[in-house]
């Protein structure tokens, strides 16, 4: 799910304050702790090889985040693609690959245990 900042409902606007809120932005039921993450990604990065060996060769962890800069395209298990760009909120459900289209910086929030397993898997892949 991708939502551009301009599409998020303004809940309050007073001098010096604008509050936007996107309700129903994914479900965290069934997860324990959440980690906050900053990612800096270079254009051309593709996680396809890094995720090999995970279930269905895809990241099996959901993520919620915000794109500070750049562009990233995700592909799900059915081959559907979605591109997020600067100032977009996003929710990537479990079961995705990532391709960086333009140098990007993102902030993500992910279930800590599940994403740590994915990160450990990627570390193992690049150090093997």
């Amino acid at each position: 799910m991708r939502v551009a900042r301009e599409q998020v409902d303004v809940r309050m606007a007073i001098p010096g304050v604008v509050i936007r809120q996107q309700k129903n932005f994914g479900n965290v039921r069934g997860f324990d702790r959440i980690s906050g993450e900053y990612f800096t990604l270079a254009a051309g990065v593709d996680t396809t090889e890094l995720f090999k060996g995970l279930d269905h060769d895809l990241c099996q962890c959901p993520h919620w985040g915000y794109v500070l800069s750049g562009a990233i395209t995700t592909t799900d298990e059915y081959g559907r693609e979605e591109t997020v760009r600067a100032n977009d909120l996003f929710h990537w459900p479990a079961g995705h690959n990532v391709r960086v289209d333009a140098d990007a910086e993102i902030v993500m929030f992910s279930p800590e245990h599940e994403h740590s397993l994915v990160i450990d898997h990627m570390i193992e892949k690049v150090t093997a």
Side-chain angles (χ1 to χ4, degrees), residues 10-105:
V10 174
R11 296 288 312 278
M12 185 173 94
I14 59 174
V17 177
V18 175
I19 297 173
R20 295 175 182 269
Q21 181 185 34
Q22 178 66 48
K23 294 184 177 180
N24 195 26
F25 197 62
N27 187 322
V28 294
R29 197 169 317 136
F31 295 105
D32 191 13
R33 294 175 180 254
I34 286 185
S35 61
E37 305 153 348
Y38 289 96
F39 277 63
T40 302
L41 304 159
V45 167
D46 186 326
T47 60
T48 302
E49 291 301 315
L50 291 174
F51 291 163
K52 291 230 173 172
L54 296 173
D55 289 346
H56 305 287
D57 296 331
L58 300 168
C59 177
Q60 294 300 318
C61 181
H63 311 286
W64 294 262
Y66 181 77
V67 183
L68 299 168
S69 63
I72 300 169
T73 299
T74 55
T75 305
D76 70 13
E77 62 185 312
Y78 305 105
R80 292 181 295 224
E81 292 188 348
E82 181 174 66
T83 301
V84 296
R85 294 178 176 79
N87 298 317
D88 285 348
L89 290 172
F90 64 86
H91 171 235
W92 295 338
H96 61 271
N97 266 315
V98 174
R99 181 185 72 242
V100 182
D101 304 312
D103 291 352
E105 289 200 30

